[in-house]
Amino acid sequence: MSEADSHAIHTELDAIAEALAKGKRKRVRKLLRAMHPGKVASVLEALDPEQRQAAWQQVDDNTEEQVLRHLDGLMAAALQRDPQDDDLADDLDEDDEPGATTQIARVRDALEAGKFKRVGKAFKQMHPAKAAGLLEALPPDERSSVWDMLDAERAGKILVHLHEEVRARLALEMDEDELAAAAQKLDLDDLVDLIQDLPAGNGRQLLQAMDVRKRQQLLSMLSYPEDSAGGLMNTDHLSVRADVRVGSVLRYLRLLEDLPDHTDKVMVVDRKNRYQGVLRLSRLVTSPPEAQVGEVMDGEFKAIDVSLSSSEVARRFEDLDILSAAVVDDNDVLLGRITVDDVMDIIREDSERAMMNMAGLNDEADMFAPVLTSARRRAVWLGINLVTAFLAAWVIGLFQGTLEQIVALAVLMPIVASMGGIAGSQTLTLVIRGLALGQVEGGNARLLLGKELGIGFLNGLLWAAVVAALAILWFKSWQIGAIIAAAILLNLLCAALSGLLIPLLLRKLGIDPALAGSVILTTVTDVIGFLAFLGLATLFLL
């Protein structure tokens, strides 16, 4: 070994030892990646046993065998000796059982023990969707440690299944070359989603890293709104003309190495690429080879307009039970297609968004988002809730004298508000679901209102009688029983009315009913409940 090589090894050795001492595993990994396998082996030999094992955990799997060939046999065997290597991958393939150590705990235990190669190998054997779910369940530091162990191809497959917030954060942790390599493995529609999730500068860099043809396709897809059919579509479709024979189409398909995912039909176009219909593969393989495509195609199958909203696209797929559909512009020119996997993502995201919105959490998909970010998001709705709480408290304050004279009212008052809140939330949930599915509009809203008022009236009579009987037995007062019965009936009718009208009004104002509906409804039912109960008590008991 030359003096220059010896000096270089000592310099790199010092840098690796310093990074290991500070726990900077990513720095160690980068240093080792930049070295020749022989030099990596020399550095490992110079480290003490504990440092050697920690550094070995950061060696790429792709260069692992080459490094081992440069090491002494005993040292190589010691580095490879980990009897639990295969156990973790097997454990993570099994479903958790009650009382057993969870998959998340097993991954965290392995990371805490410094077994990064074990975790990396296990994640490489897992289905990408499952790996994404486990990554999202890990705290940021541990998530980054696992992410560093994955190669570009595997990272690209996992990126597709991550929530937007987590996907963008992990993508930003990758070097520009690593991110570009991972992005090459993504379908165009998934790549569009990734670019949109990244900050503008990073997205532009990723776009520039693509070849000219792919970049033009991406720019075309990025020109459409994210929540439109154009933003969902992919350009990997098969198209033929109507005057071609079935036998020629079959020969053309055989020449292809592979068909695009979820291909159940071939798009039929004219010479100007205008959409004519579809030729289903099931019809293609059963038709005579001499028949023309125009004779066996389905010309009634409608394409999707490129400007159609993503929610309308999802509804059409659900109603028609289809796997794919063509996307066309205003002139019926075929632009691409949308497949069922993209629609399922939209349905899942809308469902999660609605659930989070009802708690005022907006799109907080990352459980381990920074504290300040999460606190800022939640503070807005806590503030709104505080305002509504003060409004309810103000109404109660109007009847302070009544409450001081009849203490029983303070005991029974929460029952009225609670019954109204539950009844209103039932109607609100039903109406929000109907709006999402396009089942509620001006034409049938009055009929639905009549039905909900009827339900509110019947339930109001039933539970008013029950609560009145309990109040009479408790406080030995017929007047209090009658007043709380009347208040409950009034509040349940008001809850039914509010549960229907609030989401319709919010929708008309362009506000998501799932986001603001529950807050407004709770305020209305609390105020009406307190006002009815305490107002009636003031009129008839004082």
Side-chain angles (χ1 to χ4, degrees):
M1 182 184 299
S2 67
E3 184 176 342
D5 289 340
S6 178
H7 177 72
I9 288 176
H10 280 293
T11 302
E12 289 158 342
L13 176 63
D14 292 340
I16 289 174
E18 181 182 356
L20 287 171
K22 293 180 179 180
K24 295 183 178 181
R25 292 184 295 270
K26 193 169 185 177
R27 171 66 174 163
V28 175
R29 190 168 178 81
K30 286 183 177 180
L31 288 169
L32 293 175
R33 278 180 179 174
M35 296 183 197
H36 184 276
K39 188 178 288 187
V40 173
S42 298
V43 168
L44 290 174
E45 290 173 346
L47 293 170
D48 64 51
E50 186 177 345
Q51 289 179 323
R52 183 183 305 134
Q53 190 60 243
W56 173 250
Q57 296 296 325
Q58 304 304 320
V59 173
D60 276 342
D61 290 343
N62 297 332
T63 59
E64 181 179 311
E65 291 298 327
Q66 300 175 50
V67 173
L68 289 172
R69 283 199 293 268
H70 289 85
L71 289 171
D72 172 78
L74 291 176
M75 186 178 293
L79 289 174
Q80 289 180 290
R81 192 181 301 122
D82 188 350
Q84 294 180 308
D85 266 352
D86 297 328
D87 295 343
L88 182 62
D90 294 339
D91 288 345
L92 296 181
D93 278 337
E94 299 173 0
D95 293 330
D96 290 334
E97 297 179 1
T101 306
T102 64
Q103 295 174 341
I104 298 171
R106 287 193 285 269
V107 171
R108 297 196 68 195
D109 288 345
L111 290 173
E112 190 174 339
K115 305 296 185 180
F116 297 101
K117 293 184 80 65
R118 278 182 57 201
V119 177
K121 289 177 181 178
F123 269 75
K124 289 170 186 176
Q125 295 176 32
M126 255 186 278
H127 187 278
K130 187 173 184 178
L134 275 175
L135 273 174
E136 291 180 349
L138 295 174
D141 290 344
E142 295 176 4
R143 186 188 295 163
S144 297
S145 297
V146 176
W147 190 246
D148 289 340
M149 298 302 299
L150 303 176
D151 57 45
E153 182 175 357
R154 188 63 177 171
K157 292 178 179 178
I158 294 175
L159 277 173
V160 177
H161 299 279
L162 293 168
H163 284 95
E164 295 177 3
E165 190 172 345
V166 181
R167 179 195 301 164
R169 189 168 289 123
L170 288 179
L172 290 174
E173 291 184 10
M174 304 174 73
D175 293 335
E176 186 177 335
D177 293 340
E178 291 177 331
L179 181 57
Q184 296 288 353
K185 309 298 180 181
L186 300 178
D187 292 335
L188 284 175
D189 53 342
D190 294 322
L191 187 49
V192 167
D193 291 339
L194 176 59
I195 292 174
Q196 290 171 332
D197 292 340
L198 293 173
N202 300 88
R204 197 176 302 111
Q205 289 178 352
L206 183 56
L207 193 60
Q208 293 299 321
M210 301 294 114
D211 58 61
V212 176
R213 181 173 176 274
K214 182 174 284 189
R215 190 186 312 140
Q216 290 175 343
Q217 291 175 319
L218 288 170
L219 287 172
S220 174
M221 296 168 70
L222 286 166
S223 66
Y224 301 106
E226 185 177 357
D227 59 347
S228 68
L232 281 177
M233 73 175 181
N234 204 329
T235 56
D236 63 343
H237 61 274
L238 300 174
S239 60
V240 296
R241 292 203 301 271
D243 57 356
V244 176
R245 297 190 182 279
V246 167
S248 300
V249 177
L250 288 171
R251 286 193 295 273
Y252 164 65
L253 295 181
R254 291 190 193 102
L255 291 174
L256 299 176
E257 293 183 2
D258 194 13
L259 296 181
D261 291 338
H262 304 291
T263 297
D264 64 322
K265 56 181 71 75
V266 179
M267 312 303 171
V268 182
V269 296
D270 62 13
R271 293 182 180 276
K272 294 184 177 180
N273 201 39
R274 288 192 294 254
Y275 177 80
Q276 303 292 302
V278 297
L279 174 58
R280 303 179 190 277
L281 292 188
S282 57
R283 186 69 187 275
L284 174 65
V285 297
T286 57
S287 299
E290 64 275 6
Q292 289 192 333
V293 169
E295 298 171 359
V296 297
M297 75 177 193
D298 181 0
E300 300 299 319
F301 191 88
K302 292 184 178 180
I304 294 175
D305 187 88
V306 69
S307 60
L308 195 68
S309 69
S310 57
S311 58
E312 289 294 330
V313 171
R315 190 174 304 146
R316 182 174 298 187
F317 268 70
E318 185 178 10
D319 292 342
L320 301 179
D321 195 21
I322 54 180
L323 292 178
S324 64
V327 178
V328 297
D329 64 11
D330 295 337
N331 298 317
D332 284 336
V333 174
L334 179 64
L335 301 175
R337 67 173 185 141
I338 295 174
T339 54
V340 68
D341 59 325
D342 300 312
V343 174
M344 289 300 296
D345 289 341
I346 292 297
I347 294 173
R348 176 180 62 96
E349 289 168 6
D350 287 347
S351 174
E352 291 177 352
R353 187 179 296 113
M355 181 175 64
M356 299 290 275
N357 284 349
M358 292 187 77
L361 295 180
N362 203 353
D363 291 331
E364 193 173 326
D366 186 4
M367 294 186 297
F368 297 100
V371 172
L372 288 177
T373 302
S374 296
R376 185 173 61 250
R377 289 169 174 168
R378 301 186 194 187
V380 175
W381 286 102
L382 288 173
I384 293 172
N385 183 71
L386 182 62
V387 172
T388 61
F390 268 110
L391 179 60
W394 174 75
V395 172
I396 296 172
L398 296 176
F399 300 96
Q400 184 176 352
T402 305
L403 289 169
E404 288 174 350
Q405 295 184 48
I406 308 173
V407 179
L409 298 179
V411 177
L412 296 172
M413 187 170 60
I415 297 175
V416 180
S418 176
M419 293 293 287
I422 294 297
S425 67
Q426 291 171 339
T427 303
L428 181 74
T429 303
L430 181 71
V431 175
I432 289 176
R433 177 183 176 275
L435 288 172
L437 297 176
Q439 297 174 345
V440 176
E441 54 184 27
N444 61 6
R446 290 184 180 180
L447 295 174
L448 185 58
L449 176 60
K451 175 210 165 189
E452 291 301 316
L453 287 174
I455 293 172
F457 181 73
L458 291 177
N459 274 327
L461 288 178
L462 170 64
W463 294 109
V466 172
V467 174
L470 292 173
I472 292 169
L473 289 173
W474 191 352
F475 296 102
K476 312 300 182 185
S477 172
W478 288 93
Q479 295 95 328
I480 289 179
I483 287 171
I484 195 171
I488 285 177
L489 179 58
L490 285 172
N491 205 19
L492 260 64
L493 289 172
C494 177
L497 181 66
S498 303
L500 178 69
L501 295 182
I502 287 173
L504 290 176
L505 180 61
L506 291 174
R507 184 71 170 263
K508 192 171 183 179
L509 295 174
I511 302 171
D512 186 357
L515 181 60
S518 60
V519 177
I520 298 175
L521 176 70
T522 301
T523 305
V524 171
T525 54
D526 282 354
V527 169
I528 296 298
F530 296 146
L531 191 61
F533 184 49
L534 298 176
L536 290 172
T538 303
L539 286 174
F540 294 105
L541 296 181
L542 297 181

